[in-house]
mmCIF file of all heavy atoms in Angstrom:
data_model
loop_
_atom_site.group_PDB
_atom_site.id
_atom_site.type_symbol
_atom_site.label_atom_id
_atom_site.label_comp_id
_atom_site.label_asym_id
_atom_site.label_seq_id
_atom_site.Cartn_x
_atom_site.Cartn_y
_atom_site.Cartn_z
ATOM 1 N N TYR A 87 -16.036 -14.460 -12.215
ATOM 2 C CA TYR A 87 -15.500 -14.882 -13.502
ATOM 3 C C TYR A 87 -14.028 -14.518 -13.606
ATOM 4 O O TYR A 87 -13.657 -13.353 -13.478
ATOM 5 C CB TYR A 87 -16.297 -14.254 -14.634
ATOM 6 C CG TYR A 87 -17.774 -14.571 -14.547
ATOM 7 C CD1 TYR A 87 -18.687 -13.630 -14.100
ATOM 8 C CD2 TYR A 87 -18.240 -15.832 -14.897
ATOM 9 C CE1 TYR A 87 -20.034 -13.930 -14.003
ATOM 10 C CE2 TYR A 87 -19.586 -16.144 -14.804
ATOM 11 C CZ TYR A 87 -20.478 -15.190 -14.358
ATOM 12 O OH TYR A 87 -21.818 -15.498 -14.267
ATOM 13 N N SER A 88 -13.191 -15.515 -13.876
ATOM 14 C CA SER A 88 -11.750 -15.324 -13.918
ATOM 15 C C SER A 88 -11.333 -14.474 -15.109
ATOM 16 O O SER A 88 -11.964 -14.490 -16.160
ATOM 17 C CB SER A 88 -11.038 -16.676 -13.981
ATOM 18 O OG SER A 88 -11.282 -17.442 -12.824
ATOM 19 N N ALA A 89 -10.244 -13.752 -14.939
ATOM 20 C CA ALA A 89 -9.687 -12.942 -16.012
ATOM 21 C C ALA A 89 -9.020 -13.825 -17.061
ATOM 22 O O ALA A 89 -8.342 -14.792 -16.731
ATOM 23 C CB ALA A 89 -8.677 -11.956 -15.458
ATOM 24 N N ASN A 90 -9.217 -13.487 -18.335
ATOM 25 C CA ASN A 90 -8.501 -14.178 -19.400
ATOM 26 C C ASN A 90 -7.006 -13.880 -19.330
ATOM 27 O O ASN A 90 -6.174 -14.767 -19.491
ATOM 28 C CB ASN A 90 -9.033 -13.768 -20.774
ATOM 29 C CG ASN A 90 -10.479 -14.112 -20.978
ATOM 30 O OD1 ASN A 90 -11.300 -13.231 -21.229
ATOM 31 N ND2 ASN A 90 -10.813 -15.386 -20.864
ATOM 32 N N VAL A 91 -6.694 -12.615 -19.099
ATOM 33 C CA VAL A 91 -5.312 -12.172 -19.040
ATOM 34 C C VAL A 91 -5.108 -11.325 -17.797
ATOM 35 O O VAL A 91 -5.902 -10.429 -17.499
ATOM 36 C CB VAL A 91 -4.905 -11.361 -20.287
ATOM 37 C CG1 VAL A 91 -3.446 -10.929 -20.191
ATOM 38 C CG2 VAL A 91 -5.135 -12.178 -21.549
ATOM 39 N N MET A 92 -4.036 -11.611 -17.085
ATOM 40 C CA MET A 92 -3.593 -10.779 -15.983
ATOM 41 C C MET A 92 -2.224 -10.222 -16.333
ATOM 42 O O MET A 92 -1.426 -10.902 -16.974
ATOM 43 C CB MET A 92 -3.495 -11.578 -14.685
ATOM 44 C CG MET A 92 -4.805 -12.172 -14.212
ATOM 45 S SD MET A 92 -4.593 -13.128 -12.678
ATOM 46 C CE MET A 92 -6.297 -13.578 -12.305
ATOM 47 N N GLY A 93 -1.966 -9.002 -15.924
ATOM 48 C CA GLY A 93 -0.692 -8.414 -16.271
ATOM 49 C C GLY A 93 -0.251 -7.321 -15.330
ATOM 50 O O GLY A 93 -1.020 -6.836 -14.498
ATOM 51 N N TRP A 94 1.009 -6.969 -15.477
ATOM 52 C CA TRP A 94 1.606 -5.863 -14.747
ATOM 53 C C TRP A 94 2.169 -4.861 -15.736
ATOM 54 O O TRP A 94 2.857 -5.239 -16.693
ATOM 55 C CB TRP A 94 2.726 -6.346 -13.815
ATOM 56 C CG TRP A 94 2.245 -7.137 -12.651
ATOM 57 C CD1 TRP A 94 2.134 -8.489 -12.563
ATOM 58 C CD2 TRP A 94 1.815 -6.607 -11.389
ATOM 59 N NE1 TRP A 94 1.659 -8.848 -11.320
ATOM 60 C CE2 TRP A 94 1.450 -7.707 -10.584
ATOM 61 C CE3 TRP A 94 1.694 -5.323 -10.865
ATOM 62 C CZ2 TRP A 94 0.983 -7.556 -9.271
ATOM 63 C CZ3 TRP A 94 1.227 -5.174 -9.571
ATOM 64 C CH2 TRP A 94 0.879 -6.289 -8.796
ATOM 65 N N TYR A 95 1.858 -3.594 -15.508
ATOM 66 C CA TYR A 95 2.384 -2.490 -16.289
ATOM 67 C C TYR A 95 3.176 -1.579 -15.362
ATOM 68 O O TYR A 95 3.019 -1.634 -14.142
ATOM 69 C CB TYR A 95 1.260 -1.696 -16.943
ATOM 70 C CG TYR A 95 0.500 -2.442 -18.017
ATOM 71 C CD1 TYR A 95 -0.381 -3.462 -17.693
ATOM 72 C CD2 TYR A 95 0.654 -2.103 -19.361
ATOM 73 C CE1 TYR A 95 -1.086 -4.148 -18.676
ATOM 74 C CE2 TYR A 95 -0.053 -2.776 -20.348
ATOM 75 C CZ TYR A 95 -0.921 -3.795 -19.997
ATOM 76 O OH TYR A 95 -1.619 -4.457 -20.978
ATOM 77 N N ARG A 96 4.012 -0.736 -15.938
ATOM 78 C CA ARG A 96 4.714 0.245 -15.124
ATOM 79 C C ARG A 96 4.865 1.549 -15.890
ATOM 80 O O ARG A 96 4.865 1.572 -17.122
ATOM 81 C CB ARG A 96 6.085 -0.268 -14.678
ATOM 82 C CG ARG A 96 7.109 -0.435 -15.790
ATOM 83 C CD ARG A 96 8.388 -1.071 -15.248
ATOM 84 N NE ARG A 96 9.404 -1.220 -16.274
ATOM 85 C CZ ARG A 96 10.542 -1.871 -16.101
ATOM 86 N NH1 ARG A 96 10.811 -2.443 -14.927
ATOM 87 N NH2 ARG A 96 11.420 -1.953 -17.096
ATOM 88 N N GLN A 97 4.993 2.627 -15.138
ATOM 89 C CA GLN A 97 5.165 3.942 -15.722
ATOM 90 C C GLN A 97 6.153 4.744 -14.892
ATOM 91 O O GLN A 97 5.934 4.979 -13.707
ATOM 92 C CB GLN A 97 3.833 4.681 -15.816
ATOM 93 C CG GLN A 97 3.914 5.991 -16.570
ATOM 94 C CD GLN A 97 2.540 6.542 -16.922
ATOM 95 O OE1 GLN A 97 1.547 6.216 -16.288
ATOM 96 N NE2 GLN A 97 2.488 7.373 -17.951
ATOM 97 N N ALA A 98 7.241 5.142 -15.525
ATOM 98 C CA ALA A 98 8.236 5.995 -14.902
ATOM 99 C C ALA A 98 7.944 7.445 -15.268
ATOM 100 O O ALA A 98 7.280 7.717 -16.273
ATOM 101 C CB ALA A 98 9.638 5.600 -15.359
ATOM 102 N N PRO A 99 8.432 8.400 -14.476
ATOM 103 C CA PRO A 99 8.183 9.818 -14.763
ATOM 104 C C PRO A 99 8.611 10.200 -16.179
ATOM 105 O O PRO A 99 9.724 9.878 -16.603
ATOM 106 C CB PRO A 99 9.024 10.542 -13.723
ATOM 107 C CG PRO A 99 9.103 9.585 -12.579
ATOM 108 C CD PRO A 99 9.192 8.226 -13.220
ATOM 109 N N GLY A 100 7.713 10.857 -16.915
ATOM 110 C CA GLY A 100 8.016 11.305 -18.254
ATOM 111 C C GLY A 100 8.000 10.233 -19.317
ATOM 112 O O GLY A 100 8.340 10.512 -20.472
ATOM 113 N N LYS A 101 7.616 9.024 -18.958
ATOM 114 C CA LYS A 101 7.615 7.922 -19.910
ATOM 115 C C LYS A 101 6.216 7.334 -20.068
ATOM 116 O O LYS A 101 5.354 7.495 -19.211
ATOM 117 C CB LYS A 101 8.586 6.823 -19.480
ATOM 118 C CG LYS A 101 10.042 7.243 -19.422
ATOM 119 C CD LYS A 101 10.953 6.063 -19.158
ATOM 120 C CE LYS A 101 10.921 5.079 -20.326
ATOM 121 N NZ LYS A 101 11.854 3.928 -20.114
ATOM 122 N N GLN A 102 6.009 6.654 -21.173
ATOM 123 C CA GLN A 102 4.743 6.001 -21.460
ATOM 124 C C GLN A 102 4.590 4.743 -20.606
ATOM 125 O O GLN A 102 5.573 4.063 -20.304
ATOM 126 C CB GLN A 102 4.688 5.654 -22.949
ATOM 127 C CG GLN A 102 3.387 5.050 -23.418
ATOM 128 C CD GLN A 102 3.358 4.850 -24.915
ATOM 129 O OE1 GLN A 102 2.318 5.018 -25.547
ATOM 130 N NE2 GLN A 102 4.479 4.480 -25.503
ATOM 131 N N ARG A 103 3.360 4.444 -20.221
ATOM 132 C CA ARG A 103 3.100 3.217 -19.506
ATOM 133 C C ARG A 103 3.412 2.024 -20.416
ATOM 134 O O ARG A 103 3.014 1.997 -21.583
ATOM 135 C CB ARG A 103 1.647 3.159 -19.036
ATOM 136 C CG ARG A 103 1.334 1.957 -18.165
ATOM 137 C CD ARG A 103 -0.088 1.996 -17.633
ATOM 138 N NE ARG A 103 -0.326 3.163 -16.796
ATOM 139 C CZ ARG A 103 -1.435 3.372 -16.102
ATOM 140 N NH1 ARG A 103 -2.415 2.482 -16.130
ATOM 141 N NH2 ARG A 103 -1.570 4.479 -15.383
ATOM 142 N N GLU A 104 4.113 1.041 -19.881
ATOM 143 C CA GLU A 104 4.521 -0.103 -20.674
ATOM 144 C C GLU A 104 4.130 -1.410 -19.999
ATOM 145 O O GLU A 104 4.056 -1.502 -18.773
ATOM 146 C CB GLU A 104 6.038 -0.091 -20.910
ATOM 147 C CG GLU A 104 6.859 -0.247 -19.637
ATOM 148 C CD GLU A 104 8.346 -0.421 -19.890
ATOM 149 O OE1 GLU A 104 8.725 -0.726 -21.036
ATOM 150 O OE2 GLU A 104 9.135 -0.255 -18.929
ATOM 151 N N LEU A 105 3.905 -2.416 -20.821
ATOM 152 C CA LEU A 105 3.634 -3.757 -20.314
ATOM 153 C C LEU A 105 4.926 -4.369 -19.799
ATOM 154 O O LEU A 105 5.933 -4.402 -20.503
ATOM 155 C CB LEU A 105 3.035 -4.634 -21.411
ATOM 156 C CG LEU A 105 2.811 -6.104 -21.036
ATOM 157 C CD1 LEU A 105 1.711 -6.226 -19.975
ATOM 158 C CD2 LEU A 105 2.458 -6.925 -22.266
ATOM 159 N N VAL A 106 4.883 -4.868 -18.577
ATOM 160 C CA VAL A 106 6.027 -5.551 -17.986
ATOM 161 C C VAL A 106 5.922 -7.050 -18.212
ATOM 162 O O VAL A 106 6.873 -7.699 -18.667
ATOM 163 C CB VAL A 106 6.140 -5.251 -16.481
ATOM 164 C CG1 VAL A 106 7.298 -6.026 -15.857
ATOM 165 C CG2 VAL A 106 6.299 -3.753 -16.253
ATOM 166 N N ALA A 107 4.768 -7.619 -17.882
ATOM 167 C CA ALA A 107 4.555 -9.052 -18.027
ATOM 168 C C ALA A 107 3.068 -9.341 -18.037
ATOM 169 O O ALA A 107 2.280 -8.609 -17.439
ATOM 170 C CB ALA A 107 5.231 -9.821 -16.890
ATOM 171 N N SER A 108 2.684 -10.414 -18.707
ATOM 172 C CA SER A 108 1.299 -10.842 -18.727
ATOM 173 C C SER A 108 1.233 -12.359 -18.682
ATOM 174 O O SER A 108 2.204 -13.047 -19.013
ATOM 175 C CB SER A 108 0.558 -10.314 -19.963
ATOM 176 O OG SER A 108 1.105 -10.869 -21.151
ATOM 177 N N ILE A 109 0.077 -12.866 -18.277
ATOM 178 C CA ILE A 109 -0.114 -14.302 -18.176
ATOM 179 C C ILE A 109 -1.560 -14.637 -18.469
ATOM 180 O O ILE A 109 -2.478 -13.964 -18.004
ATOM 181 C CB ILE A 109 0.324 -14.819 -16.778
ATOM 182 C CG1 ILE A 109 0.215 -16.343 -16.693
ATOM 183 C CG2 ILE A 109 -0.477 -14.145 -15.666
ATOM 184 C CD1 ILE A 109 0.893 -16.929 -15.455
ATOM 185 N N THR A 110 -1.779 -15.678 -19.273
ATOM 186 C CA THR A 110 -3.118 -16.118 -19.608
ATOM 187 C C THR A 110 -3.642 -17.068 -18.549
ATOM 188 O O THR A 110 -2.932 -17.464 -17.622
ATOM 189 C CB THR A 110 -3.157 -16.815 -20.972
ATOM 190 O OG1 THR A 110 -2.440 -18.055 -20.901
ATOM 191 C CG2 THR A 110 -2.544 -15.938 -22.056
ATOM 192 N N TYR A 111 -4.907 -17.457 -18.704
ATOM 193 C CA TYR A 111 -5.555 -18.325 -17.727
ATOM 194 C C TYR A 111 -4.789 -19.635 -17.536
ATOM 195 O O TYR A 111 -4.685 -20.131 -16.408
ATOM 196 C CB TYR A 111 -6.982 -18.628 -18.164
ATOM 197 C CG TYR A 111 -7.766 -19.443 -17.155
ATOM 198 C CD1 TYR A 111 -8.421 -18.821 -16.094
ATOM 199 C CD2 TYR A 111 -7.853 -20.828 -17.265
ATOM 200 C CE1 TYR A 111 -9.137 -19.567 -15.171
ATOM 201 C CE2 TYR A 111 -8.567 -21.579 -16.345
ATOM 202 C CZ TYR A 111 -9.208 -20.944 -15.303
ATOM 203 O OH TYR A 111 -9.920 -21.683 -14.386
#
């Protein structure tokens, strides 16, 4: 079953994880 949303997140030292980009089906 395919994902509704795919995305990339990133986290730098001492920082909160953040959304970089996302894409729908």
Side-chain angles (χ1 to χ4, degrees):
Y87 304 104
S88 297
N90 298 121
V91 181
M92 299 179 176
W94 290 94
Y95 293 73
R96 68 185 181 188
Q97 187 167 23
K101 297 187 66 178
Q102 184 175 216
R103 185 176 299 187
E104 65 172 344
L105 175 68
V106 177
S108 65
I109 184 168
T110 68
Y111 184 85

